[in-house]
Amino acid sequence: MESDQQKGREGPQKRSPLDLIMNQIRRKTSFSERKKPSVGRLFRPSVSSDKNVDIPETKETESSEGKDSTGPGTESSDTDSEISSVVGWGRVKQFVQKLGKTPDTQSLSLAHCDLTATDVVELGTLLPFLAQLEVMDLSWNDLLGGSLKALTVHLQHVSKLKVLKVSSCRLTAPDLTALGEGLDCIPLLEMLDLSWNAGVGGGNLHCLAKHLCSASSLRELHLVDCQLSEADAVTLGEVLPLLPCLEVLDLSSNKLMKKGIETVASSLSSTPQLKTLKLSMCALNQESLAMLGEKLKFLPGLEHLDLSCNKESGGGFSTVTTSLSLLTHLKCLDMHLCCLTEEDTLALVQAVPSLSELAELDLSSNKSIGSMMQFLLPVLPLSKIKKLHLNNCGLSPETCQVLATTMQSLAQLESLNLSWNKRVGETLQQLLEPLQAGCKLQELRLSSCDLTTEDMLYLESACKRGALSQLKLLDLSYNGSVGDGGWVSFFGGAAGLKELQELDISLRPSASLSASPWLPALLDALPQLPSVHRLALQRWALGPGDREKLEKALSKRTIALECDQVSVSVAKVAG
């Protein structure tokens, strides 16, 4: 027994000199030397082991060193922290790079990375080394669902996080609960995107909602296609008053039905800062539209309103006219595919004059408003309009003429979509003539407009006078009535399309014509189109000689070529 005690006393005495030497080395070692793995691997485990096994020796050492323990010891701690940070960032870089992404201290984008539950666990352990992180995107990782808690328990290390995206991750109710609990750790969060997660709906939203009061700085909430139920709509109605800073609310592709819309609409009065409201494909009908209309007056700062793809709402827009006219800051109004009636159009005619800031208007795929558009176009704030989409609206000849007379006033127009309006082909000359050099038009869609060979001459003229010099996208597809001479003339004016990036002259699926007559003109035009990266020639037949010429022309270009008759070798070159 005495021998054992003696060994116990002698043990610390024999190890202490070595430990003293090690401590001195650790204190005096420079940062650059400390980075060497040999030092860390040889000394750190020994020190750690000694501290855990022999507490008395540690006390003795501290007592014998006196003042040195508060001086160099602090420096050692700081150095350890710095080294740990460097090593940790190395782990972060390795983790991110193996997923094919670029590491960034402020933004972590891991969307479409096929993350597994194991990856999520590892990512959680890396968060302590991402203290400056502001953006984290984990979207489109189907295997992430069910394992989010492994990440959220570490959110206290990224307290500066402002943007969190976990859309399309198959989130479950436990994931929502874990995320909600983690919100307390990220008080600066401004954007939360949970879109395309069916598990968010079905009555599960409350798992997250009860914690949203911690996210009072939240500015954007995206819940697109989350299969929100009536119960979820009620929950959302209770949450909105807790988000006074909310500016963007996207509930698109959720069939909210009557009671759901009523609940959400009633809460809009508590979000006076709201600037964007998206309710596309929300099963709005005339009755629910009226409920929404009553609350729009509480959103004076609204800039973007999306009511598109609500087919049952057609005929009910007269009930929102008064409130709509109060949205004097509205810049974007999207009502495409709403089955609008002539009465709806007249209601817009009354409201639009008050919308002096309106810059984007989309009324596409409302086939019954074609003749009434002649009354709406003149009352638009033409000098502000940048985007005007009227495709598939059944525009009448009178409306096309009115549009032609307004073109000169559309000085800021950047995007014009008139596709699937057969009457456009009769008035293309009048539409293009007002356009002069310096025109800001960047996107022009004239698909299936019954364009003729003569129309191509007008298009060529517009190109040559520089009216389309800023054009980036030109869609002339499904215009099989254009003769070979028309295409030759058009390509002759290609020098005026130096900014063009996408060109589509495809034929209808049921059509097939030979490209041989005008292909030489296209080949001559390609060198004058330096910016083109997409060329669609679908259903145009190419002979063996044509293929060879096209392959040669594309051999030094990176162009995504869409052409049914092009050989595999050309497609590879183009891709």
Side-chain angles (χ1 to χ4, degrees):
M1 186 71 170
E2 182 180 353
S3 176
D4 291 341
Q5 291 176 349
Q6 184 176 359
K7 289 180 180 180
R9 288 193 299 269
E10 292 176 354
Q13 293 174 355
K14 291 181 180 179
R15 287 195 298 270
S16 291
L18 176 60
D19 282 335
L20 287 172
I21 294 173
M22 289 169 58
N23 286 337
Q24 292 298 325
I25 292 175
R26 292 186 63 198
R27 290 178 183 135
K28 295 180 181 180
T29 301
S30 66
F31 176 69
S32 58
E33 291 174 334
R34 288 280 293 148
K35 290 196 294 183
K36 297 179 181 179
S38 58
V39 176
R41 290 175 182 172
L42 289 174
F43 292 126
R44 271 193 196 168
S46 174
V47 174
S48 176
S49 175
D50 287 342
K51 285 183 179 178
N52 291 331
V53 174
D54 210 342
I55 301 297
E57 178 192 33
T58 304
K59 291 181 179 180
E60 180 183 346
T61 302
E62 291 175 351
S63 176
S64 63
E65 291 173 1
K67 296 181 181 179
D68 290 342
S69 64
T70 59
T74 304
E75 294 177 3
S76 175
S77 177
D78 293 341
T79 303
D80 287 345
S81 178
E82 292 177 359
I83 294 175
S84 177
S85 178
V86 172
V87 173
W89 176 241
R91 289 179 55 202
V92 172
K93 289 177 63 177
Q94 184 179 16
F95 177 78
V96 174
Q97 288 173 347
K98 78 176 181 180
L99 296 172
K101 300 291 185 175
T102 302
D104 189 311
T105 57
Q106 293 185 319
S107 179
L108 182 64
S109 178
L110 299 179
H112 299 281
C113 283
D114 294 325
L115 294 179
T116 64
T118 303
D119 293 326
V120 175
V121 172
E122 183 177 357
L123 178 59
T125 64
L126 297 177
L127 291 188
F129 311 110
L130 290 168
Q132 303 302 316
L133 195 65
E134 294 183 1
V135 178
M136 181 158 58
D137 186 357
L138 306 177
S139 301
W140 304 99
N141 287 290
D142 291 344
L143 300 179
L144 190 149
S147 60
L148 197 61
K149 187 171 183 178
L151 179 69
T152 59
V153 294
H154 298 284
L155 286 180
Q156 71 271 17
H157 300 294
V158 288
S159 58
K160 296 182 179 181
L161 196 67
K162 294 181 179 180
V163 176
L164 179 58
K165 299 180 181 180
V166 282
S167 59
S168 190
C169 289
R170 295 188 179 182
L171 299 184
T172 62
D175 290 328
L176 295 180
T177 300
L179 178 58
E181 293 172 350
L183 289 178
D184 294 334
C185 304
I186 44 178
L188 302 180
L189 191 67
E190 295 181 357
M191 176 184 176
L192 179 61
D193 190 349
L194 303 175
S195 300
W196 295 291
N197 284 294
V200 172
N204 293 331
L205 187 60
H206 72 92
C207 297
L208 170 70
K210 57 187 178 182
H211 299 282
L212 275 176
C213 58
S214 302
S216 57
S217 61
L218 198 66
R219 297 180 182 275
E220 297 188 28
L221 180 59
H222 299 263
L223 299 172
V224 179
D225 195 12
C226 286
Q227 298 187 20
L228 300 182
S229 64
E230 191 172 283
D232 296 316
V234 172
T235 299
L236 185 60
E238 297 171 350
V239 167
L240 290 179
L242 304 177
L243 305 175
C245 298
L246 195 65
E247 296 181 357
V248 178
L249 178 61
D250 191 351
L251 303 178
S252 299
S253 301
N254 289 289
K255 295 183 179 180
L256 299 178
M257 309 307 288
K258 177 184 174 181
K259 186 173 181 180
I261 288 293
E262 182 179 7
T263 304
V264 173
S266 299
S267 301
L268 291 179
S269 58
S270 302
T271 58
Q273 304 300 318
L274 201 64
K275 295 181 179 179
T276 298
L277 177 60
K278 295 185 177 183
L279 297 173
S280 177
M281 292 184 67
C282 283
L284 296 181
N285 56 27
Q286 295 184 11
E287 190 174 358
S288 56
L289 191 63
M291 297 176 185
L292 177 63
E294 293 177 359
K295 304 302 178 181
L296 287 179
K297 59 186 178 182
F298 297 108
L299 304 175
L302 199 65
E303 297 179 357
H304 188 149
L305 179 59
D306 185 356
L307 302 175
S308 62
C309 302
N310 287 291
K311 296 182 179 181
E312 296 181 8
S313 62
F317 281 90
S318 59
T319 59
V320 303
T321 301
T322 302
S323 296
L324 191 61
S325 62
L326 298 176
L327 304 180
T328 55
H329 295 286
L330 195 66
K331 296 180 179 179
C332 177
L333 178 60
D334 190 346
M335 299 169 64
H336 78 268
L337 198 59
C338 283
C339 293
L340 298 181
T341 64
E342 293 185 352
E343 290 73 18
D344 292 327
T345 310
L346 291 177
L348 286 175
V349 171
Q350 298 177 24
V352 163
S354 301
L355 309 181
S356 58
E357 298 297 320
L358 191 65
E360 300 181 15
L361 178 63
D362 191 345
L363 299 178
S364 301
S365 300
N366 289 292
K367 298 181 180 180
S368 300
I369 67 173
S371 60
M372 302 304 294
M373 284 300 299
Q374 61 181 305
F375 303 109
L376 179 61
L377 289 171
V379 298
L380 292 174
L382 300 176
S383 62
K384 298 289 184 68
I385 295 293
K386 293 183 178 181
K387 174 182 174 181
L388 183 60
H389 286 191
L390 301 174
N391 51 295
N392 198 23
C393 283
L395 299 182
S396 64
E398 294 79 13
T399 298
C400 289
Q401 290 294 338
V402 171
L403 178 59
T405 59
T406 60
M407 287 299 293
Q408 191 169 4
S409 301
L410 294 168
Q412 303 299 320
L413 190 64
E414 297 178 356
S415 177
L416 178 62
N417 191 343
L418 300 176
S419 296
W420 299 91
N421 286 292
K422 305 302 181 182
R423 298 296 187 179
V424 171
E426 302 173 2
T427 56
L428 190 61
Q429 179 184 11
Q430 291 85 347
L431 288 170
L432 295 176
E433 278 185 347
L435 303 181
Q436 299 301 321
C439 174
K440 297 183 178 181
L441 196 62
Q442 297 182 17
E443 179 180 324
L444 178 60
R445 296 182 182 271
L446 300 172
S447 176
S448 190
C449 284
D450 278 357
L451 300 184
T452 64
T453 300
E454 190 175 5
D455 289 325
M456 291 296 101
L457 299 179
Y458 302 135
L459 199 55
E460 176 195 11
S461 176
C463 292
K464 287 185 174 180
R465 67 173 180 270
L468 302 177
S469 61
Q470 297 188 37
L471 202 64
K472 296 182 179 180
L473 185 152
L474 180 58
D475 185 357
L476 302 175
S477 61
Y478 294 8
N479 285 292
S481 53
V482 175
D484 295 332
W487 295 118
V488 171
S489 298
F490 167 67
F491 289 123
L497 296 171
K498 293 190 180 299
E499 299 296 323
L500 192 66
Q501 298 178 3
E502 299 183 51
L503 175 62
D504 191 345
I505 61 172
S506 301
L507 296 173
R508 295 177 183 277
S510 59
S512 180
L513 296 172
S514 174
S516 298
W518 52 261
L519 187 63
L522 171 61
L523 297 178
D524 291 340
L526 283 176
Q528 304 177 63
L529 300 172
S531 301
V532 168
H533 59 71
R534 175 179 174 264
L535 179 62
L537 308 174
Q538 293 180 3
R539 266 82 64 184
W540 285 102
L542 297 172
D546 297 330
R547 297 179 190 179
E548 183 179 349
K549 294 175 183 177
L550 190 56
E551 178 179 359
K552 183 178 180 180
L554 296 176
S555 61
K556 296 182 180 180
R557 299 285 297 273
T558 303
I559 299 179
L561 183 64
E562 301 173 13
C563 186
D564 299 341
Q565 300 299 324
V566 178
S567 64
V568 176
S569 60
V570 174
K572 288 182 178 179
V573 172

